[in-house]
Structure formats: structure tokens, C-alpha cells
Amino acid sequence: YCFKIPDDYPLASAAPLLCAGITVYNPMIRHKMNQPGKSLGVIGLGGLGHMAVKFGKAFGLNVTVISTSISKKEEALTLLGADKFVVSSDQEQMKAEAQSLNFIIDTAAGDHPFDPYMSLLKTGGVLVLVAFPSEVKFHPASLNMGMKTVSGSLTGGTKLTQEMIDFCSAHKIYPNIEVIPIHHANEALERLIKRDVRYRFVIDIENSLK
């Protein structure tokens, strides 16, 4: 309700914008990460992460995807157009990217160390957490050295959500989705647990009711 989906924008694609899309769009706007030439790091390449990459490229940012899974390298670089891919467990790769990013969006839901990611931020850099690991723990030096900021974000207001929808329509930004009938919902949940989704399931209610 309240949102106008442009006539030429598919409703199935609009659905994830109202969750994953606004979750990453809001902190990017708030922290002025829509200015071309800045560098963005995206931790985790799921439903939220892949939208952060798409927005980053549309804003003219240099986008680095940071993931535990080397298997996502090809889709990050080729399918989504990221500029770099870093395997977070590879200390050499992480060291090579030290102090290279203005801003990091952390979409990783599982528990993970924060110090290695904080080391990737430039002076005055910001890490925004949009997921819910069980704890956030880092050494004070990770924050103090370089005047860095850790921020939290969850969703966005009506005005910004409409702005994001219009932005996606104007720039032809579409979430990568798989449309399913409602009677496949249980199967989709099982696939979610196995991380077998690229990157959002969308339930087709209209055709499911026929």
C-alpha cells in the first residue's frame, strides 16, 4: 500500500525492492554513498548483497564483493558487474585491499569477525550492519585508528522507498528472482536452508489462486 509501481516495472521484481532493496538503499543514501568514484564493499552476496552491488554500480561506485565463498566469484564479477571479488578467508587478498574502501555494507547473517573487515576501510570510513549476527565484537583499535564508524540500519521510510522504486525503474535495476507458485513454498524454504537461491524467491499469488 502507498507505493506506486511504475507501469513498465514488473510486479514480481518490485516485491524484493520493498525488503532487500530498501534495506541497502537507505544506508547508502544516508551515508552519501551515491556519489560517483567512491568505493563500496559488500559483505555477503545474497538477496541484500546483490542489490547493494546493483545500486553501487548504478551510483557509479567502485564495488568490491567480499565473500567466504569462492564459488560466487563468477556471478559477482560477470552477472552483477562488481569490480573486484575478495575471499575473506584469504589473508593475502584481504591485506591487499587494506584501507581501500569508503563504505562497507555488511549483509552477512552468520557470526563473523569484524576486525578484518574494519581494516579494509579508509580513514573516516563507515561499516553499516544490516543483518543480525549473534554479536558484534571488534578491537577498539579497529574503530579508533582511522576514525572509523560502525552504524546500523534496517529499512527505510515511505518517501525513500518510493524514490528507490523510481530509481530502479529509471535505471532498469531488477532483483535477480525466481518466481514460484505458492504450493512450492515448502520446497523453496528447504532450498533457502541449502542456500540454493539466486537471490530471492517471489510467490506468484495471483496465478496460485486460479
Side-chain angles (χ1 to χ4, degrees):
Y1 299 99
C2 303
F3 301 117
K4 170 77 174 85
I5 310 300
D7 293 338
D8 61 349
Y9 200 89
L11 288 180
S13 295
L17 295 183
L18 306 181
C19 180
I22 191 59
T23 299
V24 294
Y25 187 87
N26 179 26
M28 291 177 81
I29 297 297
R30 193 169 76 246
H31 293 280
K32 298 182 170 57
M33 278 307 296
N34 56 346
Q35 298 171 352
K38 286 188 174 182
S39 51
L40 167 71
V42 179
I43 302 172
L45 195 63
L48 277 70
H50 96 288
M51 287 307 300
V53 174
K54 286 174 185 262
F55 286 139
K57 293 310 297 177
F59 289 144
L61 309 182
N62 193 289
V63 180
T64 298
V65 171
I66 309 151
S67 176
T68 55
S69 177
I70 186 70
S71 65
K72 291 191 174 178
K73 180 175 182 177
E74 190 60 31
E75 57 201 73
L77 298 175
T78 307
L79 183 68
L80 300 173
D83 299 283
K84 280 185 187 171
F85 185 90
V86 175
V87 179
S88 55
S89 58
D90 187 323
Q91 291 185 350
E92 289 303 309
Q93 285 189 33
M94 290 289 280
K95 202 179 288 183
E97 300 303 319
Q99 299 179 347
S100 66
L101 302 171
N102 296 111
F103 188 73
I104 293 174
I105 291 190
D106 185 350
T107 74
D111 286 348
H112 54 283
F114 282 81
D115 292 292
Y117 298 125
M118 298 286 283
S119 72
L120 303 180
L121 288 171
K122 294 180 179 184
T123 298
V126 178
L127 182 144
V128 169
L129 187 67
V130 294
F132 288 87
S134 63
E135 67 172 4
V136 177
K137 191 176 178 182
F138 50 85
H139 194 281
S142 291
L143 196 65
N144 300 344
M145 303 287 284
M147 304 180 293
K148 294 165 187 175
T149 299
V150 174
S151 179
S153 192
L154 195 56
T155 182
T158 302
K159 182 171 180 282
L160 197 67
T161 302
Q162 187 65 60
E163 178 188 304
M164 173 207 59
I165 292 167
D166 295 340
F167 181 83
C168 288
S169 177
H171 291 84
K172 296 185 166 43
I173 298 171
Y174 307 103
N176 292 42
I177 61 171
E178 184 177 333
V179 178
I180 59 166
I182 200 163
H183 59 272
H184 285 182
N186 287 344
E187 180 191 320
L189 286 170
E190 287 168 13
R191 285 179 53 196
L192 272 179
I193 293 165
K194 297 175 190 166
R195 298 184 176 185
D196 176 25
V197 53
R198 295 291 186 273
Y199 288 91
R200 272 287 189 265
F201 288 120
V202 176
I203 297 173
D204 182 351
I205 300 292
E206 185 180 16
N207 285 313
S208 296
L209 295 175
K210 286 178 181 173

